[in-house]
Amino acid sequence: MLQSLKNLPVILDLRKTIFENKFSSDENVNYFRGIYGSFSEAELSSPKTKPKGYDNTESASLYKERTNKIYSTDYPVLFWMNNYKTDIKKVFDFGGHIGIHYYSFSKLLDFSGIESWTVCDVPSVAEEGRKYSEQRGAKNLNFVSNIQDLSDQDLFLASGSLQYLDWEIHEKFFELKKFPKYLIFNMLPLHSTTSTITLQSIGTAFCPYYIRKENDFIKGLESIGYELVDLWSNEEKKCHIAFEKERSLNYYRGLVFRFK
C-alpha cells in the first residue's frame, strides 16, 4: 500500500521535485537521474548550478584522501597486477585522476619493475596531478590528456572511468599501432540486459554517465583479439537512477583481458 501511495501521480511529482532540488544543489553526493539518448542530451538537461564534467578546478581537487587508502574494491586489481608483474613495465592509467592508484597501490605492490606509470585524464585534472606529484616526489609518474598517447604500454588500467565516455574502447584501440598486453577494468557499470545514458551529480559538477550492456562490452574486446581472463562484482558500488529501478545497478563489474 505504501508503494502504491508513493507512486500516485501527485505524490510522485512531489518526490521528483524534491529530488531535483537535491540533485541541483547538494554537495558531496553521488546522484543519478534521467534516461537520455546521447551525452549531449544529458548535458543539456544539466542544472545551471554547477559545471559539466571533471575539467574544472573544483572537480580536479577531489579524491586526494584516496591516494593514501586501499579500498576493498581495489584488491582484485592488486591481485592481477601482482600476478602479471613480470610482464608489466609500463602502465597506462586511464581516468586515473591525480594518480590515485599510483600512490595507494604502491603500499602493497612492488613497483621496482615498473618503468613508467602514465595517467590519462582531462587537462584540469592532469595539471593538478602534476602539481601533486611534485609535492609527493613521485617517480616515473606522467600525465597526459589524450588516449593517443597510449602506445607501447603493457597494461591498460581503467578503474571507474569508462562510464564517462560515449565511445567504445575496442573501437579506439584500432587507432593504436600496438595493443596493450593486458586490460584491467574495475568499478565499471555494466547491465545484464540493456545500456543506458544517465546524468550523474558528483557534488562539484554534472557528468553524462554511460551504463553499458555487459555482453556487448565483452564481445567488443574479444572481437579485436582479447580473451576474458576474470570477471568479478564490486558489490560495494551501486548505481541507483532515481525512479528508474529496472535500469539501476546493485553492483559494478571488474574484468581482466589478455591479448591472445
Side-chain angles (χ1 to χ4, degrees), residues 66-80:
R66 299 186 185 183
T67 62
N68 297 310
K69 186 175 180 179
I70 298 289
Y71 293 84
S72 58
T73 50
D74 292 326
Y75 283 96
V77 179
L78 288 164
F79 171 83
W80 282 107

Side-chain angles (χ1 to χ4, degrees), residues 9-240:
V10 174
I11 296 177
L12 183 59
D13 287 344
L14 178 60
R15 290 172 58 210
K16 288 182 176 180
T17 298
I18 293 172
F19 176 82
E20 184 63 23
N21 289 334
K22 291 182 177 180
F23 185 84
S24 300
S25 59
D26 281 6
E27 299 179 354
N28 300 316
V29 295
N30 189 30
Y31 291 148
F32 299 88
R33 69 107 154 105
I35 305 298
Y36 306 97
S38 66
F39 268 37
S40 58
E41 184 181 333
E43 282 190 340
L44 286 172
S45 79
S46 299
K48 307 301 182 183
T49 51
K50 300 171 188 174
K52 299 179 180 67
Y54 275 90
D55 197 6
N56 54 80
T57 302
E58 293 79 7
S59 300
S61 299
L62 294 171
Y63 311 140
K64 285 188 173 65
E65 74 284 355
R66 299 186 185 183
T67 62
N68 297 310
K69 186 175 180 179
I70 298 289
Y71 293 84
S72 58
T73 50
D74 292 326
Y75 283 96
V77 179
L78 288 164
F79 171 83
W80 282 107
M81 286 188 68
N82 185 65
N83 191 62
Y84 292 138
K85 66 181 180 181
T86 56
D87 291 336
I88 297 174
K89 298 187 182 302
K90 297 179 180 180
V91 177
F92 194 87
D93 187 357
F94 187 73
H97 209 256
I98 59 171
I100 292 169
H101 295 114
Y102 170 88
Y103 298 109
S104 62
F105 286 6
S106 66
K107 297 178 180 298
L108 295 180
L109 283 181
D110 178 8
F111 273 23
S112 61
I114 294 179
E115 298 174 357
S116 67
W117 186 298
T118 301
V119 173
C120 181
D121 218 303
V122 295
S124 293
V125 174
E127 181 58 29
E128 184 67 22
R130 292 186 191 98
K131 295 176 182 176
Y132 191 67
S133 68
E134 291 176 2
Q135 297 172 16
R136 295 280 297 255
K139 298 179 180 179
N140 302 326
L141 178 60
N142 311 297
F143 291 88
V144 298
S145 294
N146 194 330
I147 195 173
Q148 299 302 330
D149 290 298
L150 170 59
S151 60
D152 194 29
Q153 300 287 325
D154 302 312
L155 169 65
F156 179 89
L157 171 65
S159 185
S161 56
L162 293 193
Q163 47 265 48
Y164 299 104
L165 308 176
D166 60 352
W167 42 263
E168 301 301 336
I169 197 68
H170 71 274
E171 295 174 353
K172 188 64 67 173
F173 275 12
F174 271 120
E175 302 174 13
L176 303 175
K177 294 180 180 179
K178 184 180 178 182
F179 291 174
K181 297 176 186 176
Y182 304 105
L183 313 176
I184 299 180
F185 304 99
N186 201 31
M187 306 294 283
L188 182 62
L190 296 176
H191 197 282
S192 60
T193 61
T194 190
S195 61
T196 298
I197 295 174
T198 187
L199 185 69
Q200 179 191 30
S201 171
I202 62 171
T204 58
F206 302 108
C207 305
Y209 199 87
Y210 189 8
I211 301 172
R212 291 170 171 81
K213 186 177 177 182
E214 183 173 303
N215 195 46
D216 290 348
F217 180 76
I218 294 172
K219 283 187 173 181
L221 288 164
E222 289 177 337
S223 72
I224 61 172
Y226 284 96
E227 61 178 344
L228 180 65
V229 177
D230 194 15
L231 172 69
W232 62 89
S233 298
N234 303 131
E235 296 182 357
E236 301 88 338
K237 180 73 172 175
K238 305 180 189 302
C239 176
H240 290 161

